[in-house]
C-alpha cells in the first residue's frame, strides 16, 4: 500500500525537552509501531505517537494502543515486593505488607526448598504468560527446568494459541501462525475469515481487509455474531457456536464437487486426500445446514467465491480454536488452501490472528509443558541434548514433560503441586471453571505472583513481586506474522520494580543455581544465549540479531545465520516440514461441542472480547478512558430471545450454567443468533464469565472450550429502591 507522497512519515516532537523512543504496543499480536514520548528532564513517558513508517500498521493504532503508555507511571503500579503473613486472608486484597527484595527472596527460597525437600522437585510449578519478550519467555522455561528443576511449567498461551499450534503442526509439520506477511493481505482476491472479531481484536488489520473489497475482492466471514466485519462481508456464515468442523468439511466437499481443486498440487505436495474425501462426502450443503444453521445457498456461494479466486487467504482466530475440537477446526480450514493449492505463494495462504503481543514467540521457546527452545520437544532425546549443551546440564537432569495449564490446577487441587511461581498471567479471571480454579489456588501451600499491578490472581499469593512494564526494559517479540521485532526501553523501572528475567536470575542464584544463570547481567546477555539456544531448532532465531531487526524492520523466522535475511513467505518451494516434505490433508469427522443445549440449559453461551479491554482486564480496567467506555460486563441477547424471557435492555439478569452463575445487564442486540448469548470476559471476581465456562479440553491441544457451553437465564426479582 503506497502512502501519499505528501504524507509526512516522521513523528513530531511536541516540545524541546522530549525524545521519541521507537517501539511497539504492549498488547495484541498486531504489535503496532509506536513512538513513546519521553520527557528528558524527568525521564518519564508522557505520551505516544504512532509510527507511520512501520510497514505492517502504517501509523494505525486502536484505543488500547493510544492509551497503553498510561500504564507505566500509573498510581496502581506495584513498587516494592509484598509479603502476606496471615494465610487466612488468601483470596483477598488484604493482609499484605511491603518488604525488601532480600526478605522476599529469602522467604521464597526457604519455602521452595522446604517443599521440594519434603515432597520432591515436582511439587513446584511455574505458570507464565506471553506479554513478555522472547528473552523472558525463554528464560522462564530455563528457570523452571534448571533453577527449580520441576517438570511443571505451562502458560496462558494454552488458552490462546495451543489449538492453532497443534493444528498447524499436524498439517504442515511447523507452526508459524501466518504463512505470509500482513503486507500481502490487501492484495489478495478473497479473504475467508472464521471466528475472528477482527475489527475489535486486531483493528489495525482492517484497512487492509477493507482494501480487498475496495479492489473488487471478496470477504467471507464465519461467526455466530454479526460483528463489524461480518456486517460488511459479502457473505456472513452465521453458524451455531461449535459447529465449524461441519462448515469447513462442507467447503472442501463443494471445492471437490465443483472441481475447484488443484490436482497436481494435491498429488505432488500432500498426503491423505482420499481419506479426507471420504469424510467430507456426507457434508452436503443441506446436511451441513442442519448442523450449522447456515442457509445452504450461502455455503454454496462461499465455496464458489473461494474456489474461483485467483488468490485467497484463509484466516481464523479463537472463535474456531477455543473448542474441544479446536485443533481439528484449524486443520480442517487449512485443508481449504491445501486442496486448492492456494498456499506457498504471495497473496495466498493461511493465517491465524495471533492473540497476545508475543503469542507467537512465546509458544516456541520452552514455556509449554513439553517444549524446549527453538520449538524443540522435551520428549526427543536429540533435542534435549542440543539444549543441554547450551544450558550446561546433563540430559538426565532435564525434567520430564509436565501437564497443560488447566491440568496444573487439577494437580494443585489434589496437592501433587504445592507451590506456584505465577508470572504475567491472571488465571483467577481467565481460566475456565473459576470456582474450581480459585479453590485450587487457595489450596496451594505457597504461591508467588509477579505482576505489574495487584491482579485478582495476586490476591491468592503469599509473596507478590513487582515486575516492569514493556516500556521499562528491552528485548524482542514475534508478531502475528512471524516477524521478530524489537521493544525498546523508554524509561527506568518505577519504584523498586525489576524485569522478570532479572528476578529469575537473582532467584536462581539464591537457590544455589547461580552457575547456570549468573552470567546473565543484561537483557542483551539473555538475548544472545536465547538465539544460540534456538539455533538448529525449526523456530531458528539465531540470525535475528537486534541490529538486523532494526535495519530490516524486523526479521521473519526461520533465520538461520547472520547472512540469512529471514523468511517472510513460508513454503515458497512447496516443501512442508514433515519428513517427506508433504503437507497433510486431515480427515476430520464432525463431533458436537462437549455440552449441548438441553431443556434445563437451552441457550448456547459464547465468550470473547470488546475493543476497549485486554484479556483479564488487569491492565485496561485501570485506564480511565477505556474504563469509561466499557465499565462492566453485559450479556448480549437477541430481541426475540429477550421477549421470550420477558427481559428488558439494561435489566440485570442471572445467567447460569452447570458450573456457576453471575449477574449481568442485558444488552438486546440483533447481531447475535437467537439461540446464543455472548459475554465479554475482561472482568474479575463475581463478574467473571469464567465462573460459568466449561473446562472441557481439546484432546490434542488441551485448549478449554471457552466458545461454547449450555446456559440459562433467570429474571431477578425487582430490587426495592432504598434511599
Ligand atoms: N480488544 C481486544 N483485542 C484483543 C484482545 C483483547 O482482549 N481485546 N486479546 C488478544 C488475544 S490474546 C486474542 S486470543 C485475540 C482474540 O481474537 P478473536 O478470536 O477475534 O476474539 P474473540 O472475541 O475471542 O472471538 C472471536 C469471534 O469468535 C466468534 N465465535 C464464537 N464462537 C464461535 C464458533 O463456534 N465458531 C466461529 N466461527 N466463531 C465463533 C465470536 O462471536 C467472536 O466474534 O484478540 C487479541 N486482541
Ligand atoms: N471465557 C474466556 N476466557 C478466556 C478467553 C476467552 O476468549 N473467553 N481467552 C483466553 C485467551 S485467548 C487468553 S490469551 C487468556 C489470557 O489470560 P491472562 O494470561 O490472564 O491475561 P492477561 O490479562 O494478559 O494477564 C497478564 C497479567 O500479567 C501482567 N503483566 C503484563 N506484563 C507483564 C510483565 O511483563 N511481567 C509480569 N510479570 N506481568 C505482566 C498483567 O498485569 C496481567 O495481570 O485468557 C483466556 N481466557
Ligand atoms: S491493534 Fe493491538 S497492537 Fe495495535 S494498538 Fe491495538 S492493542 Fe495495540
Ligand atoms: Mo489470547
Amino acid at each position: 500500500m503506497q502512502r501519499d507522497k505528501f504524507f509526512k512519515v516522521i513523528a513530531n516532537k511536541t516540545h524541546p525537552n522530549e525524545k521519541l523512543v521507537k517501539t511497539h504496543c504492549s498488547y495484541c499480536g498486531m504489535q503496532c509501531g509506536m513512538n513513546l514520548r519521553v520527557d528528558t528532564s524527568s525521564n518519564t513517558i508522557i505520551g505516544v505517537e504512532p509510527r507511520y513508517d512501520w510497514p505492517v500498521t502504517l501509523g494505525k493504532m486502536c484505543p488500547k494502543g493510544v492509551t497503553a503508555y498510561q500504564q507505566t507511571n500509573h498510581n496502581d503500579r506495584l513498587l516494592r515486593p509484598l509479603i502476606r503473613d496471615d494465610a487466612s486472608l488468601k483470596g483477598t486484597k488484604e493482609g499484605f505488607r511491603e518488604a525488601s527484595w532480600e526478605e522476599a527472596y529469602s522467604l521464597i527460597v526457604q519455602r521452595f526448598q522446604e517443599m521440594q525437600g519434603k515432597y520432591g522437585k515436582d511439587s513446584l510449578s511455574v505458570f507464565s504468560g506471553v506479554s513478555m519478550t522472547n528473552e523472558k519467555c525463554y528464560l522462564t522455561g530455563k528457570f523452571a527446568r534448571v533453577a527449580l528443576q520441576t517438570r511443571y511449567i505451562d502458560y496462558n498461551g494454552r488458552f490462546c494459541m495451543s489449538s492453532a499450534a497443534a493444528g498447524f503442526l499436524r498439517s504442515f509439520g511447523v507452526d508459524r501462525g501466518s504463512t505470509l506477511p500482513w503486507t500481502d493481505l490487501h492484495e489478495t482476491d478473497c479473504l475467508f475469515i472464521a471466528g475472528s472479531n477482527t475489527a475489535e481484536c486486531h483493528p489495525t488489520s482492517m484497512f487492509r481487509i477493507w482494501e480487498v473489497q475496495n479492489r473488487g475482492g471478496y470477504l467471507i466471514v464465519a461467526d455466530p455474531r454479526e460483528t463489524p466485519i461480518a456486517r460488511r462481508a459479502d457473505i456472513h456464515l452465521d453458524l451455531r457456536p461449535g459447529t465449524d468442523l461441519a462448515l469447513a468439511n462442507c467447503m472442501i466437499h463443494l471445492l471437490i464437487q465443483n472441481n475447484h481443486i488443484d490436482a497436481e498440487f494435491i498429488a505432488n505436495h500432500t498426503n491423505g486426500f482420499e481419506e479426507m474425501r471420504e469424510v467430507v462426502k456426507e457434508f452436503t450443503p443441506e446436511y451441513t445446514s442442519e448442523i450449522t444453521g447456515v442457509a445452504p445457498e450461502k455455503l454454496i456461494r462461499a465455496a464458489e467465491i473461494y474456489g474461483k479466486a485467483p488468490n485467497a487467504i484463509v484466516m481464523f482466530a479463537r472463535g474456531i480454536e477455543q473448542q474441544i475440537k479446536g485443533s481439528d477446526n484449524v486443520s480442517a480450514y487449512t485443508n481449504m488452501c491445501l486442496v486448492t493449492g492456494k498456499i506457498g505463494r504471495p497473496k495466498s495462504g493461511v493465517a491465524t490472528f495471533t492473540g497476545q503481543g508475543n503469542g507467537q514467540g512465546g509458544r516456541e521457546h520452552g514455556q509449554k509443558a513439553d517444549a524446549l527452545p527453538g520449538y524443540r520437544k522435551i520428549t526427543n532425546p536429540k533435542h534435549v541434548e542440543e539444549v543441554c549443551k547450551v544450558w550446561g546440564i546433563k540430559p538426565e537432569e532435564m525434567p520430564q514433560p509436565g501437564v497443560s495449564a488447566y491440568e496444573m490446577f487439577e494437580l494443585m487441587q489434589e496437592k501433587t503441586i504445592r507451590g506456584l511461581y505465577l508470572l504475567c498471567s491472571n488465571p483467577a479471571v481467565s481460566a475456565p471453571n473459576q470456582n474450581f480454579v480459585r479453590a485450587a489456588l487457595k489450596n496451594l501451600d505457597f504461591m508467588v505472583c509477579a505482576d505489574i499491578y495487584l491482579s485478582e490472581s495476586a490476591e491468592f499469593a503469599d509473596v507478590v513481586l513487582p515486575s516492569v512494564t514493556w516500556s521499562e526494559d528491552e528485548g524482542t517479540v514475534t508478531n502475528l506474522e512471524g516477524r521478530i521485532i524489537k521493544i525498546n526501553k523508554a524509561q527506568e523501572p518505577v519504584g523498586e520494580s525489576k524485569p522478570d528475567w532479572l528476578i529469575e536470575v537473582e532467584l536462581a542464584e539464591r537457590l544455589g543455581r547461580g552457575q547456570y544463570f549468573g552470567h546473565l547481567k543484561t537483557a542483551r546477555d539473555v538475548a544472545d544465549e536465547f538465539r544460540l539456544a534456538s539455533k538448529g531448532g525449526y523456530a531458528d532465531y539465531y540470525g535475528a540479531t537486534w541490529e538486523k531487526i532494526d535495519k530490516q524492520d524486523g526479521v521473519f523466522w526461520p533465520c538461520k545465520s547472520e547472512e540469512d535475511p529471514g523468511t517472510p513467505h513460508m513454503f515458497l518451494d512447496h516443501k512442508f516440514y514433515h519428513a517427506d516434505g508433504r503437507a497433510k490433508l486431515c480427515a476430520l469427522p464432525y463431533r458436537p461441542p462437549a455440552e449441548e443445549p438441553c431443556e434445563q440449559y437451552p441457550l448456547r453461551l459464547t465468550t470473547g472480547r470488546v475493543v476497549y479491554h485486554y484479556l483479564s482486564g488487569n491492565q485496561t480496567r485501570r485506564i480511565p478512558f477505556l474504563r469509561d467506555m466499557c465499565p462492566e460486563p453485559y450479556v448480549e441477547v437477541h430481541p426475540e430471545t429477550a421477549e421470550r424471557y420477558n427481559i428488558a435492555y439494561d435489566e440485570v439478569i442471572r445467567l447460569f450454567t452447570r458450573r456457576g452463575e453471575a449477574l449481568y445487564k442485558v444488552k438486546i442486540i440483533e447481531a447475535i443468533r437467537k439461540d446464543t448469548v455472548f459475554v465479554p470476559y475482561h472482568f474479575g471476581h463475581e463478574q467473571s464469565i469464567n465462573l460459568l465456562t466449561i473446562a472441557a479440553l481439546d484432546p490434542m491441544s488441551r485448549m478449554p472450550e471457552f466458545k461454547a457451553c449450555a446456559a440459562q437465564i433467570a429474571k431477578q426479582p425487582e430490587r426495592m429502591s432504598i434511599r
Side-chain angles (χ1 to χ4, degrees):
M1 214 171 253
Q2 289 297 311
R3 279 268 155 210
D4 191 302
K5 66 179 172 190
F6 300 114
F7 201 84
K8 205 167 163 202
V9 295
I10 298 163
N12 283 314
K13 292 199 219 174
T14 48
H15 70 88
N17 285 344
E18 184 179 303
K19 72 174 179 187
L20 296 174
V21 177
K22 205 161 80 165
T23 190
H24 298 271
C25 177
S26 61
Y27 298 120
C28 86
M30 288 302 299
Q31 287 297 291
C32 299
M34 60 157 71
N35 290 294
L36 284 171
R37 293 171 48 208
V38 179
D39 180 336
T40 48
S41 53
S42 60
N43 276 320
T44 48
I45 295 169
I46 51 168
V48 67
E49 288 264 350
R51 271 186 67 192
Y52 298 102
D53 60 341
W54 180 246
V56 188
T57 46
L58 299 177
K60 307 275 188 294
M61 283 168 65
C62 82
K64 296 181 299 304
V66 295
T67 50
Y69 76 93
Q70 294 173 14
Q71 294 172 87
T72 312
N73 298 300
H74 197 287
N75 280 340
D76 294 351
R77 280 293 298 279
L78 294 167
L79 301 177
R80 271 166 286 281
L82 303 175
I83 291 180
R84 174 161 27 216
D85 298 313
D86 180 356
S88 73
L89 293 169
K90 266 195 191 192
T92 73
K93 283 194 179 67
E94 308 308 315
F96 287 113
R97 64 172 169 86
E98 288 196 343
S100 69
W101 276 100
E102 272 323 316
E103 188 188 359
Y105 281 152
S106 310
L107 180 62
I108 295 170
V109 167
Q110 180 212 329
R111 295 300 306 273
F112 277 8
Q113 288 179 338
E114 228 171 66
M115 269 182 286
Q116 288 192 314
K118 229 159 142 183
Y119 306 108
K121 297 281 188 208
D122 292 335
S123 57
L124 290 187
S125 63
V126 175
F127 192 109
S128 155
V130 295
S131 282
M132 298 194 294
T133 59
N134 284 311
E135 291 76 13
K136 288 174 188 163
C137 292
Y138 157 76
L139 201 72
T140 300
K142 178 176 171 184
F143 176 74
R145 273 80 177 227
V146 181
L148 302 182
Q149 299 164 274
T150 177
R151 69 196 289 182
Y152 292 121
I153 170 168
D154 212 56
Y155 78 122
N156 66 4
R158 186 69 73 171
F159 300 154
C160 183
M161 302 312 296
S162 63
S163 291
F168 285 146
L169 279 172
R170 174 171 53 184
S171 295
F172 299 140
V174 65
D175 158 38
R176 201 184 83 182
S178 177
T179 64
L180 72 186
W182 239 237
T183 45
D184 273 19
L185 289 193
H186 58 279
E187 296 190 346
T188 194
D189 306 303
C190 169
L191 287 171
F192 185 106
I193 303 183
S196 155
N197 182 2
T198 323
E200 294 202 69
C201 296
H202 297 86
T204 55
S205 289
M206 290 315 299
F207 70 105
R208 295 186 191 279
I209 293 174
W210 299 146
E211 177 71 5
V212 172
Q213 285 187 311
N214 294 345
R215 284 178 37 256
Y218 291 88
L219 173 62
I220 300 166
V221 171
D223 198 303
R225 299 189 304 143
E226 198 178 88
T227 57
I229 50 164
R231 227 166 286 156
R232 248 190 76 176
D234 296 281
I235 299 183
H236 175 203
L237 305 167
D238 50 345
L239 78 176
R240 291 191 184 106
T243 60
D244 289 87
L245 194 47
L247 192 148
N249 280 345
C250 176
M251 291 297 114
I252 314 287
H253 171 99
L254 290 166
L255 289 168
I256 296 173
Q257 182 181 306
N258 299 328
N259 200 23
H260 286 144
I261 58 174
D262 183 339
E264 207 182 296
F265 185 92
I266 293 171
N268 294 332
H269 306 298
T270 68
N271 288 317
F273 181 73
E274 287 309 323
E275 297 91 308
M276 184 202 67
R277 179 163 52 185
E278 264 317 295
V279 166
V280 302
K281 237 182 206 160
E282 65 172 326
F283 289 89
T284 60
E286 293 70 28
Y287 175 59
T288 306
S289 178
E290 278 170 33
I291 299 175
T292 60
V294 182
E297 310 80 73
K298 287 205 216 175
L299 296 166
I300 293 168
R301 182 69 181 135
E304 186 189 2
I305 291 172
Y306 178 83
K308 284 188 176 164
N311 281 302
I313 303 174
V314 174
M315 305 179 85
F316 36 77
R318 302 314 80 74
I320 72 147
E321 297 164 18
Q322 291 172 332
Q323 302 182 16
I324 49 157
K325 48 187 181 298
S327 24
D328 285 359
N329 290 337
V330 168
S331 291
Y333 279 120
T334 300
N335 282 344
M336 286 173 67
C337 24
L338 290 172
V339 291
T340 54
K342 287 177 189 167
I343 189 156
R345 62 177 197 240
K347 305 177 205 178
S348 282
V350 56
T352 181
F353 287 92
T354 292
Q356 299 175 79
N358 197 21
Q360 177 75 54
R363 71 180 186 258
E364 300 163 0
H365 302 292
Q367 296 198 95
K368 237 181 191 167
D370 61 347
L372 290 174
Y375 233 133
R376 291 182 175 87
K377 285 289 244 184
I378 210 164
T379 44
N380 179 325
K382 187 167 160 282
H383 289 183
V384 169
E385 203 172 301
E386 287 163 355
V387 173
C388 283
K389 270 203 194 114
V390 180
W391 287 354
I393 60 169
K394 295 193 204 79
E396 52 280 17
E397 291 174 87
M398 183 70 82
Q400 296 296 305
V403 299
S404 77
Y406 186 79
E407 291 164 300
M408 290 218 289
F409 298 113
E410 293 176 335
L411 296 186
M412 291 171 200
Q413 183 66 343
E414 61 176 55
K415 287 262 181 206
T416 304
I417 292 176
R418 288 172 173 265
L420 168 65
Y421 186 87
L422 170 70
L423 71 162
C424 204
S425 183
N426 190 7
V429 176
S430 56
N433 196 13
Q434 275 297 310
N435 284 316
F436 178 84
V437 167
R438 292 178 197 175
L441 290 175
K442 227 170 172 172
N443 200 35
L444 286 163
D445 292 356
F446 187 72
M447 170 176 160
V448 181
C449 174
D451 203 302
I452 54 182
Y453 305 118
L454 195 76
S455 67
E456 286 80 359
S457 302
E459 293 171 17
F460 292 88
D462 298 278
V463 177
V464 179
L465 301 176
S467 300
V468 301
T469 64
W470 95 117
S471 59
E472 298 159 285
D473 190 22
E474 62 177 340
T476 62
V477 308
T478 310
N479 77 354
L480 81 180
E481 306 168 286
R483 187 194 300 247
I484 307 156
I485 57 180
K486 178 83 197 305
I487 302 296
N488 289 310
K489 179 171 170 175
Q491 185 190 306
E492 286 305 316
V494 300
E496 294 174 19
S497 63
K498 296 186 187 199
D500 293 280
W501 64 263
L502 182 62
I503 302 173
E504 286 167 0
V505 168
E506 291 180 346
L507 260 176
E509 283 171 332
R510 285 158 182 80
L511 285 160
R513 305 295 281 175
Q515 68 186 107
Y516 307 104
F517 292 83
H519 58 288
L520 302 170
K521 307 273 187 229
T522 64
R524 182 71 191 231
D525 292 340
V526 187
D528 289 340
E529 183 181 295
F530 154 62
R531 279 177 39 235
L532 198 65
S534 79
K535 188 176 162 66
Y538 78 64
D540 192 330
Y541 281 44
Y542 182 68
T545 59
W546 288 4
E547 292 70 25
K548 194 191 286 179
I549 292 171
D550 196 43
K551 207 165 105 208
Q552 295 187 180
D553 282 338
V555 175
F556 289 81
W557 71 260
C559 179
K560 297 183 179 174
S561 66
E562 313 236 338
E563 297 72 45
D564 180 354
T567 316
H569 292 91
M570 297 289 279
F571 318 132
L572 284 180
D573 53 3
H574 293 174
K575 288 262 177 314
F576 297 92
Y577 281 49
H578 288 304
D580 60 1
R582 285 164 178 265
K584 177 142 182 58
L585 282 165
C586 302
L588 302 160
Y590 177 74
R591 51 206 160 91
E595 195 179 58
E596 286 276 60
C598 59
E599 207 175 311
Q600 220 182 341
Y601 299 95
L603 297 166
R604 287 168 202 260
L605 166 66
T606 189
T607 64
R609 298 160 163 77
V610 297
V611 69
Y612 298 110
H613 287 295
Y614 189 64
L615 303 179
S616 75
N618 190 37
Q619 288 159 279
T620 49
R621 278 185 272 123
R622 296 172 201 274
I623 305 294
F625 170 72
L626 302 175
R627 193 180 51 221
D628 289 351
M629 294 306 288
C630 183
E632 59 184 2
Y634 49 82
V635 53
E636 286 185 6
V637 181
H638 189 274
E640 282 184 29
T641 315
E643 207 179 297
R644 204 151 35 88
Y645 283 91
N646 184 27
I647 52 179
Y649 203 98
D650 268 357
E651 179 175 339
V652 176
I653 55 99
R654 186 164 70 93
L655 185 66
F656 59 104
T657 66
R658 290 188 175 85
R659 292 149 298 279
E661 60 174 39
L663 300 180
Y664 295 109
K665 270 194 185 157
V666 173
K667 191 165 160 180
I668 297 177
I669 187 165
E670 280 177 34
I672 192 158
R673 292 178 54 90
K674 291 169 200 160
D675 56 9
T676 303
V677 294
F678 169 86
V679 180
Y681 90 98
H682 312 290
F683 299 85
H685 297 126
E686 73 285 352
Q687 294 183 315
S688 173
I689 190 61
N690 277 323
L691 291 163
L692 283 73
T693 51
I694 188 168
L697 305 184
D698 178 317
M700 204 172 162
S701 64
R702 318 307 284 166
M703 167 74 86
E705 191 152 62
F706 289 118
K707 287 296 185 264
C709 70
Q712 176 62 308
I713 284 176
K715 254 181 108 71
Q716 285 297 96
E718 292 229 10
R719 303 266 161 197
M720 245 190 309
S721 90
I722 298 170
R723 296 180 57 116

